[in-house]
């Protein structure tokens, strides 16, 4: 049972902010329904104005709420900078609009900014017929009928105006680069950039040791686990290795931080949560290593990793996670991958003579 503690019982009402400490405000924006229906965003007060940290989806409702925030919550000061932790649409959907409105710079890491530029304008249905995507899912073992359902689903979403929220909008033409270890003096606080990876290429967190706060984005969430997937755009990637190494490094964070995440509620217990996340993925890998004593496709792994019925879109995301776990196991020489005559990749456990405890993938072994 988790021993995290939560100092707040609820989220700020839409169109309002809540002070965490002087100079740090928290607000929540909607995400258009679904199981994940909100994103937490933050405002940092500087001498001459405010920094916006993450921006919400590209929805008219979110734009209207930002207008209300600008009118009523900033004490007459302007926005002077936009900082996005990573490139996903719920974090950068309003970045261009806010940056242009106030004519202020966008701060991002190199990998996140150019990933956003690469995917800008792409969304549901945009690559539904791309041969790379089709080959990726077929080699992962997705049945042709499921692949067809997935393609039809993306086409249907492409005709739905609300699906535009999941499209990465055009980015500002320039940006200010964030690097791991950079120090940002903002008002009364000094914020250090802490870069992680796995969920996205170069995810930026902001650490303020004096105020005992970390704005963790999606790198550390208290309840849900961030998606760590292999995608058709980089089919040989090993993002779970990057993710686990990042979690390992983050264990050096001070234990008394208040974590301000992008989803769910702020919480205490950062090291506890990091260990829970590490254990979660280690357990998944042990399960897969056992399951793959016979050759298995990524698609065949889904019932083992997800004990619920998945629609075609959920199956696509789940397969990305299954492949990520299989790739890390392959990197650690616990699985081997072979391409069959049917053009399907299958993974099989490599017999080592080790028992499960000896072969456990602890965070420390990931640096090998």
């Amino acid at each position: 049972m988790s021993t995290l503690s939560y100092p707040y019982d609820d989220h700020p009402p839409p169109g309002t902010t809540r002070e965490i400490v002087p100079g740090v405000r928290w607000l929540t924006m909607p995400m258009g329904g679904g199981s994940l229906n909100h994103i937490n965003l933050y405002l940092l007060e500087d001498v001459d104005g405010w920094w916006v940290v993450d921006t919400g989806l590209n929805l008219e409702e979110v734009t209207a709420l930002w207008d209300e925030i600008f009118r009523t919550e900033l004490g007459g000061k302007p926005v002077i900078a936009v900082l996005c932790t990573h490139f996903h649409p719920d974090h950068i959907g309003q970045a261009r609009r806010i940056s242009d409105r106030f004519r202020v710079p966008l701060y991002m890491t190199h990998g996140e900014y150019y990933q956003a530029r690469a995917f800008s304008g792409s969304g549901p249905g945009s690559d539904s017929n791309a041969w790379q995507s089709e080959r990726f899912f077929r080699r992962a073992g997705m049945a042709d009928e499921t692949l067809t359902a997935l393609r039809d689903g993306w086409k249907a979403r492409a005709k739905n105006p609300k699906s535009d929220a999941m499209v990465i909008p055009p980015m500002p033409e320039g940006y200010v680069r964030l690097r791991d270890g950079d120090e940002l003096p903002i008002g009364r606080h000094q914020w250090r950039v802490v870069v992680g990876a796995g969920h996205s290429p170069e995810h930026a967190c902001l650490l303020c040791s004096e105020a005992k706060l970390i704005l963790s984005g999606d790198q550390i969430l208290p309840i849900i686990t961030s998606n760590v997937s292999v995608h058709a755009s980089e089919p040989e990637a090993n993002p779970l290795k990057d993710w686990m190494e990042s979690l390992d490094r983050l264990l050096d964070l001070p234990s008394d931080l208040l974590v301000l995440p992008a989803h769910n509620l702020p919480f205490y217990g950062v090291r506890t949560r990091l260990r829970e996340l590490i254990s979660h993925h280690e357990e998944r890998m042990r399960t897969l290593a056992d399951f793959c004593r016979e050759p298995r496709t990524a698609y065949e792994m889904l019932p083992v990793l997800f004990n619920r019925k998945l629609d075609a879109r959920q199956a696509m995301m789940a397969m990305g996670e299954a492949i990520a776990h299989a790739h890390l196991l392959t990197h650690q020489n616990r699985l081997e991958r072979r391409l069959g005559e049917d053009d399907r990749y299958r993974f099989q456990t490599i017999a080592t003579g080790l028992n499960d405890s000896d072969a456990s993938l602890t965070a420390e072994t990931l640096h090998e």
Side-chain angles (χ1 to χ4, degrees), residues 89-102:
D90 50 331
H91 295 260
I92 66 167
Q94 301 275 327
R96 178 68 177 261
R97 183 176 286 113
I98 297 173
S99 176
D100 285 353
R101 172 172 176 167
F102 292 96

Side-chain angles (χ1 to χ4, degrees), residues 99-357:
S99 176
D100 285 353
R101 172 172 176 167
F102 292 96
R103 297 198 171 193
V104 298
L106 168 69
Y107 288 72
M108 292 182 77
T109 61
H110 181 270
E112 299 296 338
Y113 176 75
Y114 281 102
Q115 190 85 322
R117 289 287 296 266
F119 287 101
S120 178
S122 65
S126 61
D127 67 343
S128 58
N129 294 311
W131 65 266
Q132 295 98 328
S133 295
E134 188 165 319
R135 173 183 288 178
F136 176 76
F137 290 118
R138 180 168 285 111
R139 284 186 168 179
M142 183 175 277
D144 288 341
E145 58 269 24
T146 306
L147 190 60
T148 299
L150 176 64
R151 187 185 302 117
D152 292 344
W154 281 122
K155 288 180 179 179
R157 292 187 71 207
K159 297 176 183 179
N160 178 1
K162 286 193 174 182
S163 71
D164 287 345
M166 300 311 295
V167 175
I168 296 176
M171 297 294 291
E173 294 301 317
Y175 79 116
V176 179
R177 183 173 181 176
L178 298 175
R179 294 177 172 85
D180 186 58
D182 282 354
E183 297 283 347
L184 301 175
I186 302 175
R188 67 182 69 195
H189 300 299
Q190 192 83 7
W191 297 89
R192 179 163 63 88
V193 178
V194 179
V195 173
H199 176 63
S200 63
E202 286 185 282
H203 184 298
C205 304
L206 293 180
L207 170 66
C208 181
S209 298
E210 181 186 12
K212 298 182 179 180
L213 299 173
I214 184 168
L215 278 63
S216 67
D218 286 350
Q219 195 72 30
I220 313 172
L221 301 175
I223 298 174
I224 61 177
T225 56
S226 298
N227 180 271
V228 180
S229 286
V230 176
H231 300 284
S233 58
E234 192 181 354
E236 298 301 320
N238 193 355
L240 190 58
K241 179 177 183 293
D242 298 333
W243 177 253
M244 297 288 273
E245 289 176 349
S246 294
L247 298 183
D248 189 25
R249 290 193 302 272
L250 290 169
L251 282 169
D252 290 333
L253 289 170
S255 61
D256 58 352
L257 294 176
L258 175 61
V259 182
L260 303 180
H263 305 286
N264 308 130
L265 291 169
F267 68 97
Y268 289 104
V270 61
R271 292 182 184 173
T272 295
R273 183 54 180 159
L274 289 166
R275 292 188 182 101
E276 288 175 352
L277 291 169
I278 291 168
S279 296
H280 166 77
H281 289 291
E282 287 178 342
E283 178 57 34
R284 279 185 152 201
M285 286 185 282
R286 282 192 292 269
T287 298
L288 282 187
D290 184 63
F291 179 67
C292 291
R293 295 183 190 280
E294 299 295 328
R296 309 287 188 179
T297 66
Y299 193 67
E300 291 172 323
M301 299 174 189
L302 300 192
V304 177
L305 296 179
F306 304 93
N307 58 355
R308 64 184 186 277
K309 184 176 177 58
L310 303 172
D311 61 27
R313 179 171 176 271
Q314 291 169 335
M316 176 195 70
M317 297 179 66
M319 274 211 310
E321 289 211 32
I323 296 168
H325 287 77
H327 279 191
L328 180 51
L329 284 165
T330 302
H331 172 78
Q332 293 287 329
N333 294 318
R334 295 183 65 193
L335 294 183
E336 61 180 355
R337 186 186 72 174
R338 292 180 180 176
L339 184 63
E341 294 181 359
D342 59 354
D343 201 35
R344 300 301 203 259
Y345 279 126
R346 288 177 174 81
F347 297 86
Q348 186 170 15
T349 303
I350 298 172
T352 63
L354 300 177
N355 61 35
D356 284 344
S357 61

